[in-house]
Amino acid sequence: MALTLTDLQRPEGFERLVLAEDAEAGLTALICLHSTALGPAAGGCRMWPYASREAAIHDVTRLARGMTYKNAMAGLGLGGGKAVIIGDARRDKTPAMMRAFGRAVEALKGSYWTAEDVGISPEDMAHAATETRHAVGLAGASGDPSPWTAEGVFRCLRVGATRVFGADDLAGKRVLVQGLGHVGLSLAEKVASAGARLMVTDINEAAMTEAATRLGAAVCAPDQVFAQQMDIFAPCALGGVLTAETAGALGARLVCGAANNQLASPDVAALLAARGITYLPDYVVNAGGIISVASEIHGHSDAWRLERLCAIAGRVSEMLAEAAATGRETTAVADGMVEQMLALPRRAA
């Protein structure tokens, strides 16, 4: 069976939702374009063993919308999109599957640019790139975006610390990093180097052992995160970790992490604010990776990447100042900033 693309019913406010299938290559993927108002849609591809196609659609649509906001806030001249491949990356992924995915991306004729995300590596993306011009984050080009994501989160975390604690000095601050993938581990290294009292958790015990040995981190079981006393919580695993229940138990004053869609529902932002917890919206602080990818899309230099990375921290500072002056939640302020950008005529990045 050759590759087939089927347009599915798109949610209101979205531009396109495509099902890509290639039985011979083992590919079942969804590609979602939320908005191309500011440029072609860009966002990574993740591979995950979703329990159902409906669960995959729920995830890809949330992620695509988040990419619209992330790319707009970072000033990248890109719209928002995302792709998910249904399957277990450790067991099911093959070069043939990634090449088939590349053909699906190419069939969208430049309306969507892809890169790696959870379960997908630069090497996997190189296979996709044999079939499409619109796969980025490649070795020898912009490369793995994870270090850029971690650096952006770290800079924003220090801006948040200045607002919450009066200084960006992290020495002695109790920082819990949840999730020790490429981004989480890199962030943990930066936090430890800044003198923080690092705590870590992950479902991978070997990753926790490494962080404890190499970084001097204290470890806690994944189901004990919200029983810990901490100053800063950095969620860097999958989304939805902040629910009404966990927000009520969280013992931190600042939340700043790399995970996408950290709030299980929008009303959790108000619960955090009511408890005096400052939340830095994930799509603002975790844009470092897409900034790196955008430099490859647009053909810009490292200097451009660094300029945009510094701008993220500036946006966070503006957002916090407006939230403090108006009493609005940080999520509402950030969303308002993006909506103003989306209403402006498209400008080149």
Side-chain angles (χ1 to χ4, degrees):
M1 173 182 170
L3 174 73
T4 62
L5 297 183
T6 306
D7 277 283
L8 305 181
Q9 182 174 357
R10 54 188 170 86
E12 184 178 355
F14 286 70
E15 293 185 7
R16 195 174 184 188
L17 178 62
V18 176
L19 172 67
E21 296 177 291
D22 188 323
E24 185 175 343
L27 177 72
T28 301
L30 292 154
I31 303 174
C32 181
L33 279 62
H34 175 256
S35 172
T36 57
L38 298 180
C45 169
R46 70 172 46 179
M47 187 169 181
W48 193 256
Y50 296 100
S52 65
R53 183 176 296 178
E54 290 70 26
I57 290 173
H58 175 74
D59 200 30
V60 77
T61 52
R62 281 181 48 134
L63 291 166
R65 182 181 182 276
M67 289 308 304
T68 294
Y69 280 61
K70 183 185 302 187
N71 294 341
M73 187 66 95
L76 301 182
L78 294 170
K82 204 76 176 184
V84 299
I85 297 173
I86 300 174
D88 187 329
R90 294 168 296 182
R91 184 189 65 213
D92 304 327
K93 185 172 56 180
T94 65
M97 175 188 289
M98 294 309 302
R99 289 193 293 271
F101 173 70
R103 291 193 292 275
V105 171
E106 186 64 19
L108 298 182
K109 300 179 180 179
S111 60
Y112 169 64
W113 288 79
T114 192
E116 56 267 24
D117 196 356
V118 175
I120 302 294
S121 70
E123 292 74 23
D124 298 324
M125 201 49 57
H127 291 299
T130 64
E131 301 289 343
T132 181
R133 298 163 293 164
H134 303 108
V136 285
L138 305 175
S142 64
D144 183 359
S146 299
W148 290 87
T149 303
E151 178 63 20
V153 173
F154 182 64
R155 292 184 182 210
C156 294
L157 188 150
R158 295 183 74 138
V159 171
T162 300
R163 170 67 62 173
V164 174
F165 305 111
D168 68 356
D169 184 5
L170 299 180
K173 292 290 186 294
R174 298 165 298 179
V175 182
L176 195 157
V177 177
Q178 180 191 45
L180 294 171
H182 292 305
V183 176
L185 182 58
S186 181
L187 179 63
E189 291 168 348
K190 295 175 187 297
V191 166
S193 295
R197 293 165 56 189
L198 176 65
M199 297 182 283
V200 298
T201 189
D202 195 284
I203 58 174
N204 183 340
E205 291 190 10
M208 286 198 290
T209 300
E210 179 192 353
T213 302
R214 187 162 61 84
L215 303 178
V219 302
C220 78
D223 62 356
Q224 293 299 306
V225 167
F226 297 99
Q228 307 302 311
Q229 286 301 308
M230 66 193 91
D231 299 299
I232 300 170
F233 177 46
C236 297
L238 294 179
V241 66
L242 289 169
T243 64
E245 180 181 359
T246 59
L250 181 62
R253 293 180 59 195
L254 173 65
V255 177
C256 177
N260 288 310
N261 298 320
Q262 294 165 22
L263 304 184
S265 60
D267 58 350
V268 174
L271 298 177
L272 292 170
R275 297 194 61 231
I277 300 171
T278 297
Y279 171 67
L280 303 188
D282 46 64
Y283 71 78
V284 182
V285 307
N286 67 9
I290 194 64
I291 287 172
S292 177
V293 166
S295 71
E296 190 176 341
I297 294 173
H298 295 310
H300 291 319
S301 66
D302 279 354
W304 183 89
R305 286 201 276 188
L306 288 169
E307 177 188 347
R308 287 296 194 274
L309 201 65
C310 291
I312 296 176
R315 299 271 196 201
V316 169
S317 184
E318 293 174 26
M319 177 192 70
L320 289 172
E322 183 173 340
T326 63
R328 297 166 66 205
E329 294 148 20
T330 53
T331 50
V333 172
D335 287 354
M337 293 169 71
V338 170
E339 286 155 11
Q340 288 181 353
M341 295 171 192
L342 293 174
L344 295 174
R346 182 187 297 188
R347 296 183 299 173

